[in-house]
Amino acid sequence: MRLSPAVRLSEYFMPTLKENPSEAEIASHRLMLRAGMVRQASAGIYSWLPMGFRVLKKIEQIVREEQDAAGANEVMMPTIQSADLWRKSGRYDDYGKEMLRITDRHDREMLYGPTNEELITDIFRDGARSYKDVPQMLYHIQWKFRDEVRPRFGVMRGREFYMKDGYSFDLTVEDGIKSYNKMFASYLRTYARMGLKVIPMRADTGPIGGENSHEFIILADTGESEVFCHSDFLGLDPLAEKTDYKADLQPIVDKWTAMYAATEEMHDQARFESEVPEDKRISARGIEVGHIFFFGDKYSAPLGAVVQTSDDKQVPVQMGSYGIGVSRLVGAIIEACHDENGIIWPEAVAPFKVGLINLRTGDDACDKACEDIFAKLQVMGVEVMYDDRSERAGVKFANMDLIGLPWQLVVGPKGLANGVVELKNRKSGEKQELPLDKALELVAG
RNA sequence: CGGGGUAUGGCGCAGUCUGGUAGCGCACCUGCUUUGGGAGCAGGGGGUCCGAGGUUCGAAUCCUCGUGCCCCGACCA
């Protein structure tokens, strides 16, 4: 999907709010409403307005690229599923009220999918017969619905949410772990590309048990749960070297699981203190932005997803599932990246890279200079939002800080008279007056 | 699902106790003056006061029953 490379604010739909809506408690929820990214449709259900939708699509695209790079194949499954499938896995009765159940005109029982293990297993079972059909990894990015008792925190804990979920299919447990490791490595890259510091933490595997389940957590003051980890995690960079998915990825997994990291539920204070030197101990708030899980034949066995081995046996495939909360990430990134004035987008997910501010719309020199810059940025392939409205300077500055584009290019009559424009970096707050060419160069870099 | 709040114009709120036919700030529209960090003056538009019953000459206000939304907890991507 191609996003519009440039917009004029006078023609855009970005209803910003000066005051905080009373229903929004945490920063990301407040800022998303104030910046005109989303509007609540009902509890835990949101409409995505143009700018919020752009960010959602950018995150989705990064997820997609990294899934593809790891060798997963994209599919698209429906939001509405049949109850029959869920009866086979036994989850139709287990899932409880969180599952939104629907009856169609023929009184057939349907449901709005809260997840897709059953459907994907059914699809795989239908299309794979032989050990030669594995390994296989399938993923899709789709809306899901869980009828949470208490939705909150805006899009971070909505009832309807956009999620990437992937599934791996292998012949043996050993191969299954290899697939798990691929996803582990690709997740590290995915979050790093979004400008996030992510820490994999051993997750509670529940009744199934086993070592192979990790939650991917980012640190943010307003995070939902308490986490404990070694501070050296923050110095690791998953993008420092290329990830070779054909190679053995166990060293990468080992490197990222060697140091102590645990959520509240899994935390062991004694171990924490013995394994991590005092000055390296981080105890902070975290937000879960992904979860990976190897669960063997839990679904393949009851649903009959078997393949034939080279010695003529039928064996259920070994499966894993891998989730990334795409819509949740929009909120999570804001939680990790904002200040008192508004959002501070990491460049990779920013709705636009540059905000072009015309300080005096209607002034010939300013209008002409801005139109020229607006056109040049498009030629350079730099996504730009041009504030061409006849608002006062203060309004434009405040608005641009609120929506948090990485760069603000400010064009006013005073600067133009001296042959300069002002370039402000939203993150550092640093402002510099530069000749236009120089400013464009910096922005493009 | 337990506990607590709240519902008045697009947003934030007052008015409810003590009933008399709705108000303030922001936003919006028009005009003039302004113009480098959320302008000033003047004029203007917009509200079934969450819903349904009831009490009353009269209900945003009192009573009853619903509903939406938010917060804390338990639960979760």
Side-chain angles (χ1 to χ4, degrees), chain A residues 124 128-137 168-172 175 306-308 317-318:
Chain A
F124 181 83
R129 294 278 173 278
S130 151
Y131 71 96
K132 293 173 187 169
D133 295 323
V134 293
Q136 181 59 262
M137 288 194 288
S168 63
F169 307 88
D170 286 280
L171 190 61
T172 64
D175 288 349
V306 296
V307 292
Q308 186 163 340
V317 288
Q318 298 292 318

Side-chain angles (χ1 to χ4, degrees), chain A residues 9-10 16 358 361 386-391 395-396 399:
Chain A
L9 208 34
S10 65
T16 56
N358 185 341
T361 305
Y386 172 24
D387 191 347
D388 60 338
R389 299 171 303 167
S390 7
E391 289 289 349
V395 173
K396 295 188 178 187
N399 241 274

Side-chain angles (χ1 to χ4, degrees), chain A residues 267-297:
Chain A
H267 181 55
D268 177 344
Q269 185 66 25
R271 243 190 79 199
F272 186 45
E273 287 175 14
S274 72
E275 287 182 23
V276 186
E278 194 165 1
D279 61 329
K280 298 274 192 182
R281 284 177 211 153
I282 292 183
S283 143
R285 309 292 300 177
I287 301 171
E288 182 185 345
V289 290
H291 196 160
I292 63 177
F293 208 135
F294 178 75
F295 50 68
D297 62 3

Side-chain angles (χ1 to χ4, degrees), chain A residues 29 67 72 131 134 141 151 177 215 217 251 257 272-273 299 310 317 327 332 336 352 357 366 380 412:
Chain A
H29 192 193
Q67 288 292 297
Y131 71 96
V134 293
I141 303 173
I177 301 302
E215 289 178 358
I217 304 272
T257 50
F272 186 45
E273 287 175 14
Y299 299 98
S310 55
V317 288
S327 51
F352 298 91
I357 296 180
C366 288
M380 291 160 64

Side-chain angles (χ1 to χ4, degrees), chain A residues 142-247:
Chain A
Q142 178 63 288
W143 291 97
K144 298 192 167 26
F145 193 90
R146 288 182 198 168
D147 199 357
E148 296 277 348
V149 190
R150 178 150 105 87
R152 63 186 118 169
F153 305 149
V155 300
M156 295 246 290
R157 175 101 181 264
R159 291 195 292 170
E160 188 180 48
F161 55 98
Y162 201 46
M163 183 177 174
K164 186 285 296 186
D165 47 318
Y167 304 89
S168 63
F169 307 88
D170 286 280
L171 190 61
T172 64
V173 173
E174 296 70 46
D175 288 349
I177 301 302
K178 284 182 191 161
S179 293
Y180 181 90
N181 289 348
K182 280 185 188 176
M183 281 296 130
F184 189 106
S186 94
Y187 272 40
L188 293 175
R189 291 184 50 85
T190 302
Y191 299 113
R193 279 189 58 190
M194 293 172 195
L196 298 172
K197 289 281 181 194
V198 72
I199 301 170
M201 301 195 182
R202 176 82 56 75
D204 189 359
T205 50
I208 301 169
E211 300 270 296
N212 292 298
S213 177
H214 288 91
E215 289 178 358
F216 287 77
I217 304 272
I218 62 169
L219 303 183
D221 293 340
T222 44
E224 52 198 335
S225 54
E226 197 163 10
V227 299
F228 305 85
C229 67
H230 196 296
S231 64
D232 285 359
F233 270 112
L234 302 177
L236 297 177
D237 179 11
L239 302 176
E241 46 198 281
K242 199 166 172 295
T243 304
D244 179 4
Y245 291 101
K246 302 279 187 225

